[in-house]
């Protein structure tokens, strides 16, 4: 379609602010952005929609327009909702670079323009593909009863013979076509491929091969006008985007089909916005409770707020629930705000951690079907805090006469949270990010929430002391020596472990004697010669010789409890 056709569509209500001589340019797609530098997501020929959140002062307009022109976009449409009018400096910059500029009235949704352009472009390039998009648009705009993203996936399968899934950034299946197999473990692998490619700055669609099958991966980004931060957005979008995974090789596709699939992702993004809007109330409740807890409000006031929250988070619940607190933090290394070669101000870590923690806790496989999509997550400073309602009591151990039966524990466990998400999130965090989580014990009343919050924060610090991109720790670990290890200064830790273990490492390096593995096994077997020798498949005399060599090299006596404890801690800190 031509830019001129946009002005002739009364329903869009666009006003031309400049570029009348350029209205015969062809429009190949549409992109909504408030990034200061959206070039990595542009391939040329797009109509760019922006709410102007990237603009801080008049000096920002020139570089923004220069980037768009360099990417070959067809035109720019600026919303008036943010500033009331399109600023003169943007009009002048577009005029200098001969970029057509339209004003979008505050009453016109960007989604309306997006849908119109997608329909028109699809109709011109492939009538049958346009029918897919148009049918899905009608179903999507009719509300949840229309079927949601599953409907468009059904149409992709029936009309284009394409099997596709909508996946979360952790690989959780958001939607799949009726009758199609679940994405299953492949979903996590595809999400990892997508996050790694996005962090590397590669253009979509991303090509991935899993178990010998080739997939095309398309990002699905929120279309909400206030959704994208003004700057430092790359990391946040990488960790929060949905993706469309299509079982096909995109390198074989014509341009028309690639454009059409991009249009489909924009339509699915409308449903993403609807689902995100449903979290608004839960986020607000969590923020209110968190503020009350942190400011030391009376328990009665916190309890009153929890009584308001309970019907929202657990509708139909007859009794007051128990609560757990989960704290998450994302830390970036290197130059803040830069990723994949980009630059900009620091990314606010709290909202990023909030989006990631919501995604982890929304999975029914993690929190159970009774709690999925009922989690309330707030953020404060550089961390996210989740208030997790437990629908039933955490049952104590029962004695049935034949010995105590294990307790039925309905609470969250730290390591379980990360089982399915460690691989894809590690890819998204790449080589400069870390995610650490801490989980509290369940509490039964408002009085316990403050202690639960501090407990979860302490557990997160324990997790932060561990190696790895994605780590978690639970409340049960706070009664252990591991609580002390995160607070030992790094130089002290290095000196302590070097003094005890470096002589053994050097000896192992020169003689291949396996003294370090022998020491670990000996301590793990509580100093039992027989059990340790059996585990290592050694004669007891050989084991005694190795332990004697350890004692000789270090000047320690493994018969003494103090020396055993020193070795144990050194191994844990190394």
């Amino acid at each position: 379609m031509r830019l001129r056709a946009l002005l002739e569509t009364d329903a869009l209500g666009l006003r031309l602010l400049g570029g009348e001589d350029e209205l015969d340019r062809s429009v190949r797609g549409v992109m909504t952005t408030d990034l200061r530098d959206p070039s990595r997501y542009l391939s040329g020929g797009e109509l760019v929609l922006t709410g102007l959140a990237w603009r801080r002062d008049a000096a920002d307009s020139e570089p923004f327009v220069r980037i768009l022109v360099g990417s070959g976009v067809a035109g720019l449409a600026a919303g008036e909702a943010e500033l009331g009018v399109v600023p003169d400096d943007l009009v002048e910059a577009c005029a200098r670079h001969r970029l057509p500029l339209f004003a979008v009235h505050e009453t016109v949704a960007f989604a309306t323009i997006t849908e119109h352009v997608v329909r028109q472009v699809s109709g011109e390039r492939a009538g049958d593909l346009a029918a897919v998009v148009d049918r899905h648009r009608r179903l999507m705009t009719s509300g949840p009863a229309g079927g949601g993203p599953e409907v468009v996936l059904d149409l992709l399968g029936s009309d284009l013979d394409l099997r596709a899934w909508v996946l979360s950034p952790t690989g959780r299946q958001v939607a799949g076509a009726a009758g199609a197999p679940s994405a299953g473990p492949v979903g996590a692998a595809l999400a990892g491929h997508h996050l790694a490619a996005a962090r590397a700055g590669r253009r979509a669609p991303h090509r991935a091969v899993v178990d010998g099958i080739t997939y095309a991966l398309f990002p699905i980004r929120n279309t909400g006008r206030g959704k994208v931060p003004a700057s430092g957005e790359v990391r946040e979008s990488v960790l929060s985007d949905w993706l469309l995974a299509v079982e096909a090789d995109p390198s074989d596709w014509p341009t028309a089909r690639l454009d059409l699939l991009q249009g489909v992702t924009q339509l699915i993004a409308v449903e993403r916005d609807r689902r995100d809007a449903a979290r608004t109330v839960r986020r607000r409740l969590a923020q209110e409770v968190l503020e009350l807890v942190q400011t030391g409000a009376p328990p009665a006031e916190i309890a009153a707020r929890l009584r308001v929250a309970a019907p929202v988070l657990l509708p139909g619940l007859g009794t007051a629930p128990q609560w757990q607190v989960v704290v998450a933090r994302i830390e970036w290394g290197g130059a803040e705000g830069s990723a994949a070669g980009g630059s900009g101000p620091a990314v606010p870590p709290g909202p990023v951690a909030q989006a990631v923690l919501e995604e982890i806790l929304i999975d029914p496989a993690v929190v159970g079907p009774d709690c999925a999509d009922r989690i309330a997550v707030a953020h404060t400073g550089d961390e996210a805090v989740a208030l997790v309602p437990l629908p039933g009591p955490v049952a104590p151990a029962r004695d049935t006469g034949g010995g105590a039966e294990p307790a039925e524990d309905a609470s969250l466990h730290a390591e379980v949270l990360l089982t399915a998400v460690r691989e894809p999130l590690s890819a998204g965090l790449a080589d400069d990010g870390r995610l650490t989580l801490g989980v509290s014990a369940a509490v039964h009343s408002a009085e316990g929430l403050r202690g639960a919050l501090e407990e979860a924060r302490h557990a997160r610090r324990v997790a932060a002391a561990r190696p790895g991109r994605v780590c978690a720790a639970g409340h049960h670990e706070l009664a252990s020596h591991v609580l002390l290890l995160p607070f030992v200064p790094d130089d002290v830790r290095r000196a302590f472990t070097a003094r005890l273990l470096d002589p053994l490492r050097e000896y192992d390096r020169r003689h291949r004697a396996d003294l370090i593995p022998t020491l670990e096994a000996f301590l793990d077997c509580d100093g039992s010669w027989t059990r340790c020798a059996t585990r290592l498949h050694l004669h007891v005399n050989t084991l005694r010789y190795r332990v004697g060599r350890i004692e000789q090299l270090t000047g320690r006596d493994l018969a003494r409890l103090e020396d055993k404890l020193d070795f144990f801690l050194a191994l844990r800190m190394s």
Side-chain angles (χ1 to χ4, degrees), residues 227 273-288 312 354 358 375-377:
K227 195 69 179 177
D273 288 341
R274 289 177 178 172
R275 296 192 184 190
D276 281 355
R279 298 182 183 180
T280 303
V281 174
R282 297 197 299 274
R283 283 180 169 182
R284 186 172 66 247
L285 288 171
Q287 203 73 39
E288 292 173 355
V312 176
Q354 180 184 43
E358 283 177 335
I375 309 301
V377 184

Side-chain angles (χ1 to χ4, degrees), residues 3 6 18 25 69 75-76 132 152 166 207 233 263 290 380 400 432 444 452 454 482 508 517 546 564:
L3 283 175
L6 295 174
R25 292 185 181 185
V69 172
L76 174 65
V132 173
V152 75
V166 177
R207 185 179 182 274
E233 313 83 342
L290 178 61
T380 174
T400 59
D432 63 346
H444 305 265
E454 290 306 311
V482 296
D508 281 347
R546 289 188 182 180
K564 286 181 182 177

Side-chain angles (χ1 to χ4, degrees), residues 159-480:
D159 291 23
L160 302 179
D161 196 27
L162 292 175
R163 289 208 305 177
W165 300 264
V166 177
L167 304 175
S168 76
T170 63
R172 174 179 59 87
Q173 181 171 311
V174 176
S182 169
V186 173
L190 292 175
H193 279 286
H194 165 71
L195 291 172
R199 282 299 306 270
R202 296 199 292 272
R203 290 183 181 273
H206 309 307
R207 185 179 182 274
V209 179
V210 178
D211 295 337
I213 300 175
T214 302
Y215 297 86
L217 309 178
F218 296 83
I220 300 172
R221 297 190 172 88
N222 297 64
T223 61
R225 293 167 71 170
K227 195 69 179 177
V228 180
S231 61
E233 313 83 342
V234 173
R235 284 169 169 163
E236 184 175 38
S237 65
V238 162
L239 292 173
S240 61
D241 286 346
W242 282 0
L243 65 139
L244 176 67
V246 183
E247 190 178 307
D249 190 340
S251 60
D252 298 334
W253 286 356
T255 302
R257 176 161 291 197
L258 287 171
D259 290 347
L260 198 286
L261 265 294
Q262 295 283 7
V264 168
T265 65
Q266 293 168 354
L267 294 177
I268 297 176
V270 175
E271 178 68 14
R272 169 72 187 273
D273 288 341
R274 289 177 178 172
R275 296 192 184 190
D276 281 355
R279 298 182 183 180
T280 303
V281 174
R282 297 197 299 274
R283 283 180 169 182
R284 186 172 66 247
L285 288 171
Q287 203 73 39
E288 292 173 355
V289 172
L290 178 61
E291 290 173 2
L292 290 174
V293 171
Q294 292 197 133
T295 56
E301 187 176 353
I302 300 174
R305 178 51 53 190
L306 288 176
R307 284 194 293 272
V308 173
V312 176
L313 301 178
L314 289 174
L317 189 68
T319 58
Q322 297 180 95
W323 306 92
Q324 272 186 286
V325 175
V326 181
V327 171
R329 182 173 178 177
I330 291 180
E331 298 170 292
W332 302 105
E336 288 295 334
S338 65
S343 61
V347 182
V352 181
Q354 180 184 43
V356 173
L357 185 55
E358 283 177 335
E359 174 54 40
I360 292 173
L361 294 175
I362 201 175
D363 190 347
V366 173
V367 298
D370 293 329
C371 286
D373 209 18
R374 290 173 175 173
I375 309 301
V377 184
H379 68 82
T380 174
D382 57 0
E383 68 182 12
V385 179
L387 192 64
V388 182
L390 302 178
V394 179
R398 295 180 299 163
D399 193 340
T400 59
E405 294 182 354
E408 181 184 351
D409 192 352
S411 61
L412 297 178
H413 294 272
E415 196 57 31
V416 173
L417 294 178
L418 302 181
T419 300
V421 303
R422 179 175 277 112
E423 178 186 348
L425 287 181
S426 295
L429 293 164
D431 57 355
D432 63 346
R434 289 197 76 208
L435 169 65
T436 51
L437 287 88
V439 182
S440 78
V443 295
H444 305 265
S445 63
E447 289 86 345
L449 274 182
R450 187 167 189 178
L453 176 60
E454 290 306 311
E455 189 174 58
R457 283 173 169 163
H458 278 300
R460 192 208 63 77
R461 295 188 190 102
V462 171
R466 295 172 175 166
R469 290 283 162 206
V470 181
C471 300
H475 60 91
H476 60 283
E477 298 180 66
L478 300 185
S480 167

